[in-house]
Amino acid sequence: MNDPLAGAGPYAGEYEDWDLWCYQYAVDSSDEEANARVKNWEDQGWFMLTTGVDADGNLVPYGHYLKEECESSIGNYTSEEDGGCAVSITGIGPMEADLRRELLAIACETRAAYVLPVPDWLAAAPPLSCRHLPDGNIAVQGELGSGSDLPVSTLMLWQEPDEPEAAWHLYSPEGELLGSTESGGAWWMLTFPDYEGKLEFEPGPDTFYYCWNGEIHAYDENAGGYMASFMYDGTEWDAIEAKPVTERRPVDPRTFTILSGAELPLIHAAQRKTPPKAPERYAEILQNWESLDLDQPVATGYDITGYAFRQVQPLDDPGNPYAADYGEWDRVCFAHHAKLCAEYDWNRLSMEDQQRVANEYELKVLEDLGDRKVPGYYVYPTTAYIDDNGYLVPYVLAQEIMLALQGLPVSPQAQAAQGIFDYEYRLQMNVPLEPDLQRARQQAETEMRALFYEPVPAWLADSPSLSAMFLPDGRIVTRGELGSLLGNGVSDVWCCYEPSGELVCQSKAGEEYWFAMLFKDFYAVLGRYGPRDQVFATDWRGIVHIGLAGPDAEADRFTYTGEPTELFDLAPNRPLLFEQIPGDDLAMIHRAQQEAAAAQ
């Protein structure tokens, strides 16, 4: 990290005293002595400040960092490539009272534009802290006025005062008291008052609750970890997705934000000068939800508001950039789903009712086929992605975009469309798809992926095994002997071949692990950990994890040849290595690769 005192770099002349303080008191997370020193920093009345560091190692002034964080909170993200912070650093230590007050004032001036309006009555008698709720009510920590004239040692940024015994109170937007918790309660008990009676477990002395963005999670290490997750209003987390679209109004991302008593008057004063506006992205999401035509397909995404919705445009819309790229499978699936929306009230149904309707629809489709029904005609789950303009992305193109996210050199069209995964608006279509279209879609996807696989040699394409996997050194591991897919070899063994087709080694029949034949003294190493039924061995991306089984299992890592390693991935820049390729696809991949080579 570059020294901000050197007077160089893009932020020279912009650093304030708190920026230099943060640099001076920066804590290295790997320094055990430093971490021990700051462990009880709050008890000592110290201050904590986090700011950013750019890709070139320059300290980012807190004013810039705060602005970027505030913009991110309403959906305006700045990537590292566009000048956003690469990492952050945290300073912990003593800070003079005047500097704290000055920093708090500057921070509140910025934050005022990004939080919900602070009403006059709340600013005039600030509590210890508060949170705005989606229905407009405000959860308040402590009595009104208890946050006035707090000791300067308690002035923190974006943090509730440490007052665990303070009660919480619920106020209307106009300041009417609606309810209170007992001393030591939590804010969400105001909106979920009979929570203990609705929980499916008995809270113990070690059960604790933590909340994030309106989600409440109950945790008890002595009872197996996570016990329950629900929303602030008592809705079980798993039940949210089950609600129909009409009951899932997007939530303003500014709700649940912590505002301390020290911040409230300062933010209120700034908002009097410049009233805050609703975030543009939230306004757009809310408008989308309010204007949905529920008789047409609707996509679901996870945006800055939590769950959000987007109208899906017809495939034949004149502005559809993918109109010429759809396969017949795309069109058939979409037509079935559109019919469910128009004739079966799909978007107005709960998840349970959607499942019932889907089953009824499948039976009707099969009935209508009559004698034309063929084996394998069944409901085929399809997750379709929707772009920012509401257009369905062709299935095969979406699979190619996934490869782009792994760093592979895909087509310009796929490269340009990676944004569909920013918020992942999806259309889940569980509709009947005839076998010919199932096979055609699989073939189209395999031919696209063929260009990114390692070259499949002719000897493997001509005598395919049940599956094949490429290793970084060019060798190929197969499930079954050559020809086993066609019934011409032993199938319950693992084999390793040189790129030329020469057999390197072969496992015993029934061997569970492909790497056992390549890992030096594998079972002897396994035995050092304990009895076989108490030891686990798994692999991912060429790394073998071995350890004792159990809830607190920890594993040692080895390469697939048996060398100890600290790596988690043996080929991070070659994402299709170690992938089991079905034997049915090998000849198809070989042919597509040969045709691509001939066309160059």
Side-chain angles (χ1 to χ4, degrees):
M1 181 175 167
N2 303 324
D3 185 351
L5 296 173
Y11 305 109
E14 295 186 46
Y15 293 116
E16 302 287 354
D17 288 345
W18 46 78
D19 299 314
L20 303 179
W21 178 94
C22 190
Y23 178 74
Q24 177 186 352
Y25 288 100
V27 178
D28 183 348
S29 59
S30 63
D31 186 334
E32 294 184 6
E33 183 178 341
N35 280 278
R37 176 176 59 83
V38 302
K39 183 178 181 181
N40 299 314
W41 63 274
E42 288 177 286
D43 296 337
Q44 301 179 64
W46 287 0
F47 193 75
M48 179 173 71
L49 179 66
T50 298
T51 191
V53 178
D54 69 15
D56 297 320
N58 299 303
L59 182 73
V60 176
Y62 181 69
H64 290 265
Y65 174 77
L66 177 60
K67 180 79 171 177
E68 184 179 324
E69 288 292 293
C70 287
E71 286 289 331
S72 295
S73 73
I74 60 171
N76 300 327
Y77 304 102
T78 304
S79 67
E80 185 179 328
E81 292 77 13
D82 293 332
C85 296
V87 295
S88 62
I89 66 165
T90 298
I92 300 177
M95 179 184 280
E96 293 179 1
D98 288 345
L99 188 58
R100 282 197 189 200
R101 292 192 181 95
E102 186 180 357
L103 174 57
L104 184 68
I106 294 297
C108 288
E109 189 78 24
T110 298
R111 288 191 74 194
Y114 298 92
V115 298
L116 286 163
V118 174
D120 295 343
W121 59 266
L122 192 59
L128 295 173
S129 70
C130 73
R131 298 167 186 256
H132 288 78
L133 304 182
D135 58 6
N137 293 331
I138 302 173
V140 164
Q141 182 190 25
E143 302 297 328
L144 292 181
S146 59
S148 302
D149 301 321
L150 291 171
V152 71
S153 61
T154 66
L155 298 184
M156 300 294 170
L157 299 175
W158 302 41
Q159 188 173 330
E160 288 172 345
D162 185 19
E163 296 286 348
E165 297 306 313
W168 283 84
H169 309 281
L170 186 66
Y171 285 89
S172 72
E174 295 76 28
E176 178 187 356
L177 180 63
L178 303 176
S180 301
T181 70
E182 296 180 358
S183 175
W187 69 266
W188 49 268
M189 295 177 184
L190 296 164
T191 53
F192 188 16
D194 57 342
Y195 72 98
E196 288 187 322
K198 293 184 178 179
L199 297 179
E200 296 182 357
F201 68 94
E202 187 69 30
D206 296 318
T207 302
F208 71 91
Y209 303 86
Y210 68 94
C211 60
W212 178 83
N213 202 29
E215 303 167 17
I216 316 300
H217 303 275
Y219 185 88
D220 192 325
E221 185 173 349
N222 296 326
Y226 286 102
M227 306 297 292
S229 294
F230 45 90
M231 292 302 291
Y232 76 100
D233 61 357
T235 305
E236 291 186 17
W237 178 247
D238 292 341
I240 297 173
E241 288 189 13
K243 290 184 175 183
V245 172
T246 51
E247 297 179 21
R248 294 161 70 182
R249 180 185 178 88
V251 176
D252 191 321
R254 298 172 296 175
T255 54
F256 306 114
T257 299
I258 299 170
L259 297 177
S260 73
E263 293 173 303
L264 288 169
L266 298 172
I267 289 175
H268 178 262
Q271 290 179 337
R272 290 282 298 272
K273 291 185 290 186
T274 307
K277 296 180 180 179
E280 289 183 9
R281 187 165 187 85
Y282 168 65
E284 177 187 342
I285 291 169
L286 183 60
Q287 183 181 18
N288 286 344
W289 180 78
E290 292 175 336
S291 61
L292 288 174
D293 179 354
L294 297 180
D295 293 328
Q296 301 298 324
V298 173
T300 304
Y302 199 76
D303 217 306
I304 61 167
T305 58
Y307 286 102
F309 305 92
R310 180 174 290 165
Q311 192 81 62
V312 182
Q313 303 301 324
L315 300 194
D316 59 357
D317 185 89
N320 190 343
Y322 313 109
D325 301 319
Y326 292 121
E328 185 61 21
W329 48 86
D330 293 312
R331 298 185 181 280
V332 169
C333 283
F334 188 81
H336 276 305
H337 189 78
K339 189 171 184 178
L340 281 171
C341 296
E343 299 180 17
Y344 293 82
D345 273 347
W346 184 262
N347 291 317
R348 298 179 180 87
L349 301 177
S350 68
M351 185 179 291
E352 182 179 354
D353 286 338
Q354 284 181 343
Q355 185 60 58
R356 173 182 55 78
V357 166
N359 293 337
E360 293 173 358
Y361 182 74
E362 177 189 8
L363 291 175
K364 184 177 186 309
V365 169
L366 296 179
E367 253 178 42
D368 291 346
L369 282 171
D371 295 339
R372 292 177 292 126
K373 178 185 174 184
V374 294
Y377 198 125
Y378 64 96
V379 169
Y380 203 68
T382 298
T383 299
Y385 292 91
I386 310 301
D387 73 7
D388 285 344
N389 297 311
Y391 293 114
L392 183 142
V393 178
Y395 176 82
V396 175
L397 177 59
Q399 306 311 304
E400 186 179 359
I401 296 169
M402 291 183 189
L403 297 181
L405 297 177
Q406 298 178 62
L408 293 174
V410 298
S411 67
Q413 185 185 26
Q415 198 73 39
Q418 292 183 62
I420 68 168
F421 289 104
D422 287 348
Y423 301 104
E424 296 199 18
Y425 280 86
R426 306 180 185 195
L427 189 62
Q428 189 64 41
M429 302 185 292
N430 297 324
V431 294
L433 191 63
E434 62 186 76
D436 286 348
L437 287 182
Q438 295 173 26
R439 287 190 290 269
R441 188 176 83 168
Q442 180 61 38
Q443 179 175 341
E445 180 183 357
T446 300
E447 289 176 346
M448 177 275 293
R449 292 173 67 87
L451 306 182
F452 305 101
Y453 282 120
E454 303 296 310
V456 172
W459 54 265
L460 182 57
D462 293 340
S463 298
S465 54
L466 299 181
S467 67
M469 177 177 67
F470 289 90
L471 303 181
D473 59 9
R475 292 185 294 177
I476 303 171
V477 170
T478 66
R479 182 58 174 168
E481 295 179 335
L482 293 181
S484 55
L485 181 69
L486 308 175
N488 297 327
V490 179
S491 61
D492 65 341
V493 296
W494 296 99
C495 302
C496 181
Y497 294 92
E498 294 286 1
S500 63
E502 178 186 353
L503 181 66
V504 177
C505 57
Q506 181 170 315
S507 74
K508 295 179 181 179
E511 172 58 58
E512 178 181 0
Y513 305 108
W514 67 266
F515 48 82
M517 61 185 175
L518 301 172
F519 192 117
K520 185 178 180 182
D521 300 325
F522 172 67
Y523 283 102
V525 172
L526 213 60
R528 294 203 295 266
Y529 286 81
R532 181 68 189 90
D533 61 352
Q534 298 178 23
V535 177
F536 70 88
T538 60
D539 73 285
W540 189 83
R541 303 288 303 154
I543 303 298
V544 178
H545 303 253
I546 301 176
L548 280 172
D552 300 318
E554 294 185 5
D556 294 320
R557 297 193 296 276
F558 302 84
T559 67
Y560 64 87
T561 54
E563 293 82 22
T565 183
E566 295 298 316
L567 297 174
F568 286 94
D569 187 341
L570 274 189
N573 297 320
R574 300 168 72 185
L576 297 186
L577 293 182
F578 301 111
E579 180 179 310
Q580 293 282 352
I581 304 172
D584 288 329
D585 293 346
L586 292 170
M588 194 187 312
I589 292 171
H590 174 74
R591 182 174 62 253
Q593 290 175 337
Q594 293 297 303
E595 291 173 354
Q600 290 180 347

